Amino acid sequence: MGWAADVELSGYQAREFALPDEPTYAQEPEGSLVATLVRRNPPTRRQAVLYVHGWSDYFFQTHLADAMDDLGFDFYALELRRYGRSLRPQQLAGYIADLTDYYTELDLAVQELRDAGHEKIVLMGHSTGGLVTSLYASERPGTFAALVLNAPWLELQGNAVVRPATQPVVAAARAVAPTTALKLPDSGFYRRSISKADGGEWEYNLNLKGDPAFAVRVGWLAAILEGHAKVAAGLDIDCPVLVVIADRSDFRRTWDDALKLADIVLDVERIAVRAPKLGRHVTIAKFVDGMHDLVLSGPQVRAKVLDEYARFLRCYAS
């Protein structure tokens, strides 16, 4: 399928990659998987950014695309199978059994950018997408000019013993019932902190961003923990890496407007500990009053985040 007008964002274009040979699970229709590449405009530059979203998410942050365009980069966003524009009826939203399965659509996206004449590619990932892109960049040396990670999920929340203790239990459960959904509470606080309908700043498609959030399934969690273990053992990303995080996390269980000024999804201290394991050249930047998705933070904070992106990319990717 070629490029066509994007159904979500005016002026943008999208194209689907069919993934007929990729595995389906439970009652999913066989051969129904697709990934979707979105672009801000037809290619005009030799350098481009390829962005990958987080968990229960999709691309709608057009101000990020505009900022990259101002820096001289064409902008693309990849929506992985079972997410956002790529999610189809009867599919297990967000599910994956092995994070390396995503390399299929990432390879297709990179090839599309190469075919469009982009000689230099910056890979960018947020949250779970930051974990996926880190693993992928490590396995594709010589491919990317830089890697930019926005609150990447590099380790499980809590102290250092949580994941090693949890991982064998989850792996055993996966062997028995991989698609079983775990009963985890969703306070709705993150939606409340960003959605304009709930007093936040941003308008987006609630259906595509998973409202309520996608079900966390045993096999998916096992795949995530395996990814965390690889990061903990050390990756070998050969390009410069920028990791941006909020200066603090806040996991309180009652609503307070202070939740708009912190990462209320991930443990930023655990991210900071793991980030140096990504490669030989890693820069970590913390932002006071930053949110989980740093580019959705308040105007002054996100301006600082985008300025940091600009400095980093001018130094290492221009």
Side-chain angles (χ1 to χ4, degrees):
M1 181 177 177
W3 291 99
D6 181 41
V7 298
E8 291 296 322
L9 298 174
S10 177
Y12 280 70
Q13 296 178 315
R15 67 160 300 178
E16 289 183 2
F17 297 117
L19 306 172
D21 298 325
E22 293 302 292
T24 53
Y25 302 92
Q27 303 301 313
E28 291 186 315
E30 292 185 9
S32 65
L33 297 179
V34 301
T36 307
L37 190 61
V38 180
R39 68 185 184 188
R40 185 180 182 275
N41 49 258
T44 58
R45 282 96 168 228
R46 292 185 177 180
Q47 56 187 17
V49 167
L50 176 61
Y51 170 85
V52 180
H53 56 83
W55 166 249
S56 198
D57 203 356
Y58 80 110
F59 170 68
F60 64 94
Q61 300 91 334
T62 56
H63 60 290
L64 171 61
D66 292 343
M68 295 303 100
D69 182 75
D70 289 343
L71 287 175
F73 292 84
D74 284 345
F75 183 89
Y76 298 78
L78 177 64
E79 295 194 351
L80 304 169
R81 67 189 75 176
R82 302 186 182 94
Y83 281 94
R85 296 164 176 84
S86 304
L87 182 60
R88 299 292 181 267
Q90 301 180 55
Q91 291 181 348
L92 301 179
Y95 186 76
I96 201 76
D98 188 324
L99 295 182
T100 63
D101 288 351
Y102 288 136
Y103 295 1
T104 299
E105 51 257 55
L106 282 160
D107 283 343
L108 289 169
V110 169
Q111 189 59 54
E112 176 70 25
L113 268 62
R114 294 294 187 207
D115 291 344
H118 300 302
E119 299 172 359
K120 186 179 294 185
I121 300 175
V122 173
L123 187 60
M124 186 177 291
H126 167 55
S127 198
T128 306
L131 174 60
V132 172
T133 53
S134 295
L135 298 170
Y136 180 68
S138 186
E139 293 293 326
R140 298 291 187 272
T143 302
F144 301 108
L147 175 64
V148 177
L149 302 174
N150 173 357
W153 193 14
L154 302 181
E155 183 57 278
L156 200 64
Q157 293 87 316
N159 63 47
V161 304
V162 172
R163 179 186 46 76
T166 303
Q167 192 170 352
V169 177
V170 176
R174 174 176 60 182
V176 177
T179 61
T180 297
L182 300 173
K183 295 183 179 179
L184 301 177
D186 178 11
S187 68
F189 287 172
Y190 186 59
R191 181 201 66 224
R192 185 171 177 178
S193 71
I194 63 173
S195 173
K196 192 169 185 178
D198 290 308
E201 184 178 352
W202 304 97
E203 290 187 89
Y204 52 85
N205 187 325
L206 295 176
N207 291 324
L208 295 189
K209 194 165 168 56
D211 182 32
F214 298 159
V216 172
R217 300 181 186 276
V218 171
W220 174 86
L221 182 57
I224 292 293
L225 296 180
E226 287 170 355
H228 290 165
K230 290 179 181 178
V231 173
L235 302 183
D236 191 23
I237 298 171
D238 67 346
C239 64
V241 181
L242 172 64
V243 177
V244 299
I245 53 177
D247 70 319
R248 66 185 183 91
S249 296
D250 191 332
F251 299 130
R252 70 183 75 189
R253 298 184 179 182
T254 56
W255 174 258
D256 189 288
D257 281 346
L259 295 174
K260 296 181 178 180
L261 304 174
D263 191 323
I264 63 176
V265 178
L266 298 181
D267 186 335
V268 296
E269 295 306 320
R270 300 301 300 151
I271 297 173
V273 167
R274 284 289 177 252
K277 291 277 193 176
L278 295 174
R280 296 179 293 277
H281 184 161
V282 179
T283 301
I284 304 172
K286 292 186 175 183
F287 294 87
V288 176
D289 294 340
M291 302 178 74
H292 173 54
D293 186 340
L294 274 296
V295 301
L296 298 185
S297 301
Q300 292 183 339
V301 178
R302 68 174 178 267
K304 292 178 181 178
V305 172
L306 294 174
D307 283 346
E308 187 70 27
Y309 283 13
R311 280 191 293 271
F312 181 81
L313 295 177
R314 285 181 182 129
C315 285
Y316 300 114
S318 295

